């Protein structure tokens, strides 16, 4: 069986792509017919990329949870919606049918409203990967509250910044979270984040690790107690609140090249249509298939392809609490066999890390249920692509290399599994509705190709697709300057790309000051800011360098003048601790080199190009340094490089 909007041949892809570019409104108007709306739209699309302003399905009313839940009832009431695999494989899995999930979401929607949450309020969710996280997210959507999920690896300071930016009044968290052998005290981090906060009125705490937590009277309540109250009141259903198609569905903070992380805002209607459409088409999902996306719900991939896309499509989606290497490096393969997973969607960094264990952990695993493999988050090198294809997919599963971003909501460039051709390390063709263009630094379309017909440039999108970000929370100007001002009239992705004569796209990586470490986006400015907060640090400069497993590692050049101790190893550890406090462990530099000066131009600008070459081990090709204020500093840095 196919979904009505499912592309089933290369010819059909080509034809639909053409139509979608010629008339996007007509194209998406047709796709959107296959969703449940509370009220139809008057106009499919209105847009301009100057302010920018994008409106899809204007006038329509919708609630995404009616599409995720209600529309599958009663006919698919017993279909598993969510399969939860705990961190510890000896603990029991939990399976939620569509009926179960509906019941739980309605119940928690009551809990939220009983605690004062109203439509439009911002609810911060900071939880481990347990079913209650999915339930909390969907319950927010049910009542029209705007969720802002924060990845469990972020520090109290990062949470405090996000709470403040979103003026959040509510938090849903856990006592703690399990991740492999670790036990992370989430509520304690929230408590730290709330010191000095005066917007948060209520914290709902779900029990997972039962680690001791402080519960502040009048502010903190237990999830389980609140649910019991609803049970005793026999409140079973919760009518889905009518949302305008353009109302915000959620905020997700992400790093840019400057300043603090920004709150990317997605709108209810367009996000729903696009994530579902791309889920079905990219992975070629068939009803009954089991889909396993290994991302964390704290990132956009988890939002779009663990929760919203699959659930709107009535799919069975796996939620995994743990990590790929615990208790051993065969964990993914065990999960695939246990639930007969058909689609596995993971990150190149996970593949490379598992490659490091050799094929031993794959022996004795069947993996015969797999039909489609996917990757996301960073460029996949050919070696990792082939390992995945050969050893995991046994050479019979198409690998979809999906390129997209927090801001794009869903996949923009990818092959469609088994339908359009794959090309190792190439994300290949744009999805219908995605108008890609490579431009030079002046914003002109790149027309010149090399002898193989490949062009190279900065990747832009010239027209809106339904799940493009609408704004950055409480700061629309920042949205404009970040994405729409570099090349007026175009959405600039921040990525560099190649395009071959057949239109295939290969992402070469960020061209701005954003790092991609293990598939996590981190701004160099953010890391520098954290390092500079450490007492004794005078100045720092951070660049990326190629890293075998993480894709990119973080290399920090630091001018340190503290004289507390001369023990460099200890100072390094202290700096790492500061970064962990300010941002979180994911932003810890891999290398810290102490320097006496940084290469600067006469106007005082740090020449990162030079530092990048040194970090990459390409210091022989640094080029001209004569414009530097103090060229001698470069030799010193090269001589002491790590
Ligand atoms: C990078 C993740 C190459 C890219 C969904 C992008 C990729 C950034 C790919 C967005 C891919 C993502 N090939 N690079 N298939 N997918 N990227 O916001 O640099 O966490 O701009 O969204 O990851 O990261 P984000």
């Amino acid at each position: 069986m196919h979904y009505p909007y499912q592309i089933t041949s290369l010819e059909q892809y080509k034809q639909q792509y053409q139509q979608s570019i010629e008339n996007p409104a007509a194209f998406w108007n047709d796709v959107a017919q296959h969703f449940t709306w509370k009220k139809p739209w008057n106009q499919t699309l209105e847009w301009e990329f100057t302010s920018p302003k994008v409106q899809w399905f204007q006038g329509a009313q919708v609630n995404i949870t009616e599409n995720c839940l209600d529309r599958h009832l009663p006919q698919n009431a017993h279909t598993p919606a969510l399969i939860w695999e705990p961190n510890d494989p000896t603990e029991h899995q939990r399976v939620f049918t569509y009926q179960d999930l509906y019941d739980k979401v309605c119940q928690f929607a009551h809990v939220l409203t009983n605690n004062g949450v109203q439509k439009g309020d911002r609810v911060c969710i900071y939880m481990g990967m347990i079913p209650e996280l999915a339930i909390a997210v969907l319950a927010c959507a049910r009542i029209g509250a705007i969720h802002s999920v924060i990845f469990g690896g972020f520090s109290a300071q990062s949470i405090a910044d996000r709470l403040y930016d979103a003026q959040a009044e509510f938090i849903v968290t856990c006592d703690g979270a399990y991740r492999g052998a670790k036990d992370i005290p989430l509520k304690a981090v929230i408590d730290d984040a709330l010191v000095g906060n005066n917007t948060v009125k209520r914290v709902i705490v779900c029990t997972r690790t039962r680690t001791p937590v402080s519960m502040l009277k009048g502010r903190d309540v237990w999830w389980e107690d609140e649910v019991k109250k609803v049970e005793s009141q026999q409140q079973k259903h919760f009518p889905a609140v009518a949302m305008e198609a353009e109302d915000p569905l959620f905020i997700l903070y992400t790093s840019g090249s400057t300043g603090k992380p920004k709150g990317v805002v997605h709108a209810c209607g367009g996000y729903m249509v696009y994530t579902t459409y791309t889920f079905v088409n990219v992975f070629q999902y068939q009803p009954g298939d089991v889909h396993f996306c290994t991302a964390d719900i704290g990132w956009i991939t988890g939002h779009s392809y663990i929760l919203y896309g699959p659930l709107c499509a009535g799919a069975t989606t796996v939620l995994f609490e743990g990590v790929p290497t615990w208790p051993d490096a065969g964990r993914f393969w065990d999960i695939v066999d246990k639930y007969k997973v058909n689609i596995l969607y993971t990150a190149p960094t996970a593949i490379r890390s598992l490659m490091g264990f050799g094929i031993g952990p794959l022996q004795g695993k069947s993996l015969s249920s797999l039909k489609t493999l996917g990757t996301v988050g960073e460029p996949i090198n050919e070696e990792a692509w082939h390992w995945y294809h050969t050893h995991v997919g046994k050479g019979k599963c198409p690998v979809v290399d999906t390129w997209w971003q927090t801001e794009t909501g869903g996949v923009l460039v990818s092959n469609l599994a088994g339908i359009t051709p794959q090309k190792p390390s190439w994300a290949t063709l744009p999805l219908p509705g995605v108008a890609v263009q490579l431009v030079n630094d002046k914003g002109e379309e790149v027309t010149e190709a090399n002898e193989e017909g490949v062009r190279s440039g900065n990747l832009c999108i010239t027209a809106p697709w339904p799940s493009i970000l609408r704004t950055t929370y409480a700061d629309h100007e920042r949205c404009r300057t970040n994405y729409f001002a570099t090349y007026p009239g175009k959405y600039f992705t921040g990525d560099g790309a190649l395009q071959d004569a057949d239109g295939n796209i290969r992402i070469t990586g960020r061209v701005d000051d954003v790092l991609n470490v293990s598939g996590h986006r981190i701004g160099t400015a953010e890391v520098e800011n954290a390092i500079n907060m450490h007492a004794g640090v005078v100045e720092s400069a951070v660049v990326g360098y190629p890293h075998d497993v993480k894709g990119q590692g973080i290399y920090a050049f630091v001018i340190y003048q503290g004289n507390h101790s001369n023990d460099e190893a200890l100072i390094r550890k202290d700096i790492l601790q500061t970064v962990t406090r300010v941002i979180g462990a994911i932003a810890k530099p891999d290398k810290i080199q102490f320097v006496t000066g940084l290469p600067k131009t006469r106007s005082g600008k740090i020449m990162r190009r030079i530092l990048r070459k040194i970090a990459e081990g390409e210091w022989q090709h640094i080029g001209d340094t004569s414009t530097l204020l103090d060229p001698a500093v470069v030799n010193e840095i090269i001589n002491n490089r790590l």
Side-chain angles (χ1 to χ4, degrees), residues 66-272:
E66 280 192 330
N67 288 269
C68 291
L69 302 168
D70 308 49
R71 81 174 281 183
H72 310 306
L73 304 176
Q75 74 281 14
N76 291 322
H78 303 299
T79 301
L82 201 71
I83 298 177
W84 176 68
E85 169 70 8
N87 180 58
D88 180 345
T90 62
E91 187 182 340
H92 249 286
Q93 75 266 24
R94 289 165 72 191
V95 179
F96 297 77
T97 62
Y98 272 93
Q99 185 67 54
D100 297 334
L101 194 59
Y102 172 87
D103 293 345
K104 294 280 182 199
V105 169
C106 285
Q107 193 179 52
F108 199 66
H110 280 293
V111 167
L112 290 174
T113 45
N114 289 349
N115 279 278
V117 186
Q118 293 178 354
K119 179 176 174 179
D121 288 347
R122 277 79 55 220
V123 179
C124 157
I125 302 179
Y126 185 67
M127 301 172 84
M129 287 282 282
I130 56 175
E132 286 74 14
L133 164 55
I135 291 164
V137 165
L138 294 169
C140 284
R142 187 90 181 161
I143 70 173
I146 303 170
H147 57 77
S148 163
V149 184
I150 301 179
F151 174 63
F154 281 114
S155 70
Q157 182 62 53
S158 296
I159 298 168
D161 292 344
R162 288 160 169 77
L163 289 171
Y164 178 78
D165 188 77
Q167 293 290 294
E169 291 174 310
F170 304 92
I171 296 179
V172 186
T173 188
C174 296
D175 47 1
Y178 295 122
R179 269 179 76 78
K182 286 194 224 139
D183 172 340
I184 304 152
L186 298 181
K187 174 62 164 64
V189 178
I190 289 292
D191 289 336
D192 288 344
L194 287 179
V195 174
N197 171 292
N198 49 24
T199 56
V200 172
K201 297 194 276 209
R202 180 72 80 239
V203 181
I204 301 176
V205 185
C206 181
T207 308
R208 173 61 182 138
T209 57
R210 205 49 197 100
T211 183
V213 295
S214 125
M215 293 291 285
L216 213 67
K217 191 184 291 168
R219 188 194 70 187
D220 302 350
V221 296
W222 290 106
W223 172 298
E224 293 76 10
D225 290 348
E226 296 305 296
V227 163
K228 268 199 204 100
K229 288 183 199 161
V230 174
E231 273 168 357
S232 64
Q233 291 158 3
Q234 295 264 320
Q235 293 174 309
K236 275 206 161 336
H237 305 288
F238 193 108
V241 168
M243 306 295 287
E244 297 298 318
E246 280 298 319
D247 276 343
L249 174 63
F250 65 84
I251 306 172
L252 189 57
Y253 284 86
T254 190
S255 297
S257 49
T258 54
K260 294 210 160 153
K262 42 196 183 292
V264 168
V265 177
H266 281 289
C268 295
Y271 177 83
M272 168 182 82

Side-chain angles (χ1 to χ4, degrees), residues 399-437:
V399 175
V400 291
D401 178 352
T402 67
W403 173 83
W404 57 296
Q405 312 178 296
T406 304
E407 295 84 347
T408 71
V411 176
L412 293 196
V413 180
S414 174
N415 47 315
L416 311 181
I419 304 291
T420 64
Q422 59 191 18
K423 188 169 175 184
S425 85
W426 289 68
T428 75
L429 299 171
L431 273 275
V434 179
V436 293
Q437 192 179 69

Side-chain angles (χ1 to χ4, degrees), residues 300-301 376-379 401-406 495 507 510 516 521:
I300 191 69
T301 307
V376 60
E378 51 178 316
D401 178 352
T402 67
W403 173 83
W404 57 296
Q405 312 178 296
T406 304
D495 281 314
I507 305 296
R510 301 288 304 196
N516 191 327
R521 260 167 84 169

Side-chain angles (χ1 to χ4, degrees), residues 246-307:
E246 280 298 319
D247 276 343
L249 174 63
F250 65 84
I251 306 172
L252 189 57
Y253 284 86
T254 190
S255 297
S257 49
T258 54
K260 294 210 160 153
K262 42 196 183 292
V264 168
V265 177
H266 281 289
C268 295
Y271 177 83
M272 168 182 82
V273 170
Y274 195 76
T275 53
T276 311
Y277 176 86
T278 50
F279 169 70
V280 165
N281 280 296
V282 169
F283 301 105
Q284 287 294 306
Y285 186 85
Q286 300 284 325
D289 283 351
V290 177
H291 173 75
F292 177 22
C293 165
T294 72
D296 192 288
I297 292 178
W299 308 112
I300 191 69
T301 307
H303 282 62
S304 302
Y305 300 112
I306 296 178
L307 294 181

Side-chain angles (χ1 to χ4, degrees), residues 347-406:
T349 186
I351 299 169
R352 288 192 300 261
S353 134
L354 294 173
M355 266 169 76
F357 292 86
I359 53 167
L362 282 154
Q363 271 151 13
K365 321 282 164 163
S366 153
L367 305 185
S368 58
S369 55
L370 287 174
K371 297 200 301 197
T372 299
L373 302 175
T375 75
V376 60
E378 51 178 316
I380 182 162
N381 47 313
E382 287 204 34
E383 192 192 356
W385 192 100
H386 285 292
W387 189 87
Y388 197 33
H389 184 252
T390 306
H391 297 293
V392 180
K394 315 290 182 204
K396 68 178 173 59
C397 304
V399 175
V400 291
D401 178 352
T402 67
W403 173 83
W404 57 296
Q405 312 178 296
T406 304

